[in-house]
Amino acid sequence: EAKRAGRGRFRVFEDGMDAALRDRRELEIDLRRALALKQFSLHYQPFIDLQTERTIGFEALIRWDHPVRGRVTPADFIPLAEETGLISKIGEWVLRTACATATTWPDEMSVAVNVSPVQFKSDNLIETIVSALAHSGLPAHRLEIEITEGALLEDTSNVLKTLHALRDLGIRISMDDFGTGYSSLSYLQKFPFNKIKIDRSFVQGADEGGDNEAILKAIAGLGLSLGMAITAEGVETPEQLARIRGEQCTHVQGYFTGRPMPADGIATFLQA
Ligand code: C2E
Ligand code: MG
Ligand code: MG
Ligand code: MG
């Protein structure tokens, strides 16, 4: 009896595995076709200078509108795109589209583009970026590249080479989601970032004071003394905004100051 129940459970588990694998295979097949079928779009979220209270740029965030599944979030397909190598073509499309769109904005506004760790380590990253700038006519100083610590983990000398090549072109580099995962304060000294984006877990967790507030203060203080701009991510309330002002952050990005929006919403947003 017990044996039979056990076997039954195993079968259910196996069928569950099959379903998950099938689902992943289907998603992969669809992802391969998504570019050609024009299912991707970019949304843009403003970031604001706390001193002047002006929008100084927008971060490009990819969206995938799947004909059956509806909108698939980047967290659900970027890892798959990385595993399958599709990220290089998708990333190239993001860079070209974001740069072209930014040329329609006021001159002083930047566009920030996320580059995943796999993409960051690919041999043709610099070439792709240079080509996107050349095709769009966007000046290099209006492009920011956002990387996460995953891009920094191995092969320090190649990472440094790439970062310096970007800096030499006049492109700015932001450390995204800082404070999560393995990030180490020594990264801030070792790598030439222009900006640190403090992960929203610290910003939102700082409401109650305590450890998160202390960490926020420490990162902002260290970054500033190393000459970097500090963005607080994920600010959703006026209380959080007031707090990060007190912690010497230089920039803010979050639902409170502006949600990600399609490119055609930007002109209206900037008028308001
Ligand atoms: P990220 O680069 O840290 O982007 C910020 C994420 O936080 C975005 O989620 C944004 O919509 C969300 N967000 C912004 N303000 C708030 C807030 O106040 N509260 C909350 N709860 N969330 C907020 P999204 O668009 O789902 O993107 C998730 C991640 O996917 C991004 O994190 C980035 O790592 C990755 N990603 C997005 N677009 C691209 C892309 O074009 N290429 C690559 N390689 N990765 C991308
Ligand atoms: Mg980002
Ligand atoms: Mg982030
Ligand atoms: Mg993130």
Side-chain angles (χ1 to χ4, degrees), residues 120-166:
F120 185 79
K121 285 171 190 158
S122 81
D123 293 332
N124 55 7
L125 176 73
I126 301 290
E127 214 179 306
T128 304
I129 291 176
V130 167
S131 161
L133 289 172
H135 270 88
S136 62
L138 188 76
H141 72 266
R142 291 179 60 192
L143 176 62
E144 296 183 15
I145 295 296
E146 298 195 359
I147 56 174
T148 52
E149 62 189 4
L152 308 175
L153 287 181
E154 302 137 27
D155 207 0
T156 302
S157 77
N158 270 321
V159 168
L160 280 172
K161 224 185 276 172
T162 303
L163 291 176
H164 284 294
L166 291 170

Side-chain angles (χ1 to χ4, degrees), residues 1 13 25 88 106 115 123 125 135 145 184 202 205 207 221:
E1 176 64 56
F13 175 68
R25 279 286 301 151
S88 55
V115 168
D123 293 332
L125 176 73
H135 270 88
I145 295 296
S184 134
F202 301 105
D207 278 350

